[in-house]
Amino acid sequence: MRLRSVCLGVVASFFVAVIAVTVSARSFAASSDVPAWLQAHVGNSDGQISQIVLERARALYRKKVAQGAVKNPCYFALDATRPSDLGNGVLGRRYYVICEASESFRAISSGHGSGRNLKGVVDFSNGKRCARNFGNAMDSSLTAGGAYMTREAKTSFKGYYRTGAKRDVAFQRTFIQFDGEGEAANARQRVIGGHAAQVLHGLCLRKNPNSSHADHDGFVPFGKLVDYAGGRSNGCTSWSPADAQQIIPMVKDNPTTLYIYPESRDIAAVAANHSQPGTYWNASCLKEIGTPKFWPRKTLEPIIAQYRKDHPAPPPQPVPICTQP
């Protein structure tokens, strides 16, 4: 899978500070049953989970457990308003693995949707650090917030790569399909899910007739393994390879919930400068992006379709034969 800013005045700066810490009294009341050990992880700093994100993730999980749809003792949440890259090679911890039965809380890194720049038409692309654009349109490469369930795991062979020890290794990546609700209901159509942030670049074909992955002519794809844990995705949830090795077994044949923040209603509230109770956005990213935007599929899909019609893709080229042994 494949994987601007407006100048804020004094009033806007004040607004940024307010919405980053404001949580309604009703919100606190609703979370009164959050155990003390979990409440200790609530906050707006890196590695903590914001109150509103925890509440919605917890409510979704409890709902699915009550329906009998989930038996997994753990659930997930992602706060896509937070920075992905903190600088100096440090990644933001904004994906949460919460297991209340064992009193376990982990915060890890995760990518956000890159979006796209349809040059000369519309630009809904995102930077590496902070996401400004969100949406649920097909082929938009945008993150859509809302309620998800993890589903089947699909492992596929991508090709071979060479290790530092000069050994050729088969790269197989597992993809966890998500099913969404509401605005995220087309997650399966969009092929939205979770996987390790790894891809093979610079593919060529190498003769290896003894490989079980060889084609009818005895060739296998070969490339360079790239880790893009600090980069963007095409709208999927991407984890570092080490984190993926822990998360994927947790949900394989044992579905659970994932709540992704923000939803379109949250984006609209922030964009309209409505510092209403419960409204939240990461202050650092809001200062950087200015005004976030949600692109609904009914608006964006016709634009993407027209762009594709006006700019047809070139015919696919055959994968070249490797020049190096």
Side-chain angles (χ1 to χ4, degrees):
M1 299 179 67
R2 296 181 296 103
L3 278 235
R4 306 225 197 196
S5 177
V6 297
C7 184
L8 300 175
V10 174
V11 174
S13 296
F14 173 74
F15 166 68
V16 169
V18 169
I19 69 167
V21 299
T22 299
V23 180
S24 68
R26 183 175 64 180
S27 178
F28 275 115
S31 63
S32 60
D33 64 337
V34 174
W37 72 266
L38 182 53
Q39 192 68 42
H41 293 285
V42 174
N44 296 320
S45 299
D46 179 59
Q48 294 181 311
I49 185 168
S50 295
Q51 187 80 37
I52 192 171
V53 180
L54 175 60
E55 287 169 8
R56 294 186 188 175
R58 220 166 167 249
L60 173 64
Y61 175 70
R62 287 183 160 191
K63 173 185 172 183
K64 295 300 182 182
V65 169
Q67 293 174 347
V70 169
K71 295 181 175 62
N72 197 309
C74 305
Y75 59 97
F76 303 144
L78 168 62
D79 183 352
T81 75
R82 292 178 180 241
S84 172
D85 187 350
L86 301 180
N88 298 317
V90 178
L91 301 182
R93 295 174 297 160
R94 58 184 185 167
Y95 189 96
Y96 311 100
V97 181
I98 305 168
C99 309
E100 294 193 26
S102 58
E103 297 189 2
S104 171
F105 177 93
R106 287 185 62 214
I108 62 177
S109 64
S110 178
H112 58 254
S114 62
R116 298 175 63 186
N117 182 3
L118 306 184
K119 295 184 178 180
V121 179
V122 64
D123 183 0
F124 49 94
S125 59
N126 285 316
K128 285 179 62 175
R129 205 181 95 86
C130 297
R132 176 181 184 267
N133 297 294
F134 300 81
N136 58 355
M138 295 287 293
D139 301 320
S140 66
S141 296
L142 290 173
T143 295
Y148 293 86
M149 285 274 295
T150 64
R151 293 302 186 186
E152 69 272 16
K154 308 170 187 175
T155 300
S156 56
F157 169 74
K158 303 296 183 180
Y160 284 89
Y161 67 95
R162 180 157 294 178
T163 66
K166 305 297 183 184
R167 189 168 67 92
D168 291 349
V169 176
F171 174 49
Q172 300 193 70
R173 193 178 74 177
T174 299
F175 172 78
I176 302 294
Q177 176 68 57
F178 294 165
D179 278 338
E181 299 179 359
E183 291 173 336
N186 63 340
R188 187 171 289 269
Q189 294 171 268
R190 295 183 64 205
V191 199
I192 297 296
H195 57 79
Q198 290 179 301
V199 68
L200 287 183
H201 278 178
L203 285 177
C204 59
L205 294 178
R206 176 172 292 177
K207 198 79 170 179
N208 187 359
N210 294 325
S211 170
S212 60
H213 302 291
D215 63 16
H216 62 280
D217 293 320
F219 286 96
V220 295
F222 187 90
K224 179 182 179 182
L225 185 65
V226 175
D227 182 332
Y228 63 96
R232 292 152 289 182
S233 71
N234 70 336
C236 287
T237 298
S238 54
W239 309 294
S240 73
D243 289 329
Q245 287 180 2
Q246 296 186 44
I247 291 175
I248 291 172
M250 290 175 63
V251 297
K252 191 173 183 180
D253 303 319
N254 194 10
T256 192
T257 57
L258 164 63
Y259 178 76
I260 298 181
Y261 183 91
E263 299 179 48
S264 64
R265 54 176 166 152
D266 306 302
I267 297 168
V270 173
N273 284 8
H274 290 163
S275 183
Q276 61 187 28
T279 301
Y280 157 81
W281 202 279
N282 176 266
S284 173
C285 275
L286 188 59
K287 184 176 181 181
E288 180 175 311
I289 66 173
T291 304
K293 184 169 183 177
F294 180 84
W295 298 82
R297 59 182 306 185
K298 66 179 181 180
T299 299
L300 195 53
E301 284 182 359
I303 296 175
I304 295 174
Q306 186 61 49
Y307 185 85
R308 185 184 297 113
K309 182 178 179 180
D310 295 339
H311 303 80
Q317 299 297 312
V319 179
I321 303 299
C322 299
T323 56
Q324 298 296 326

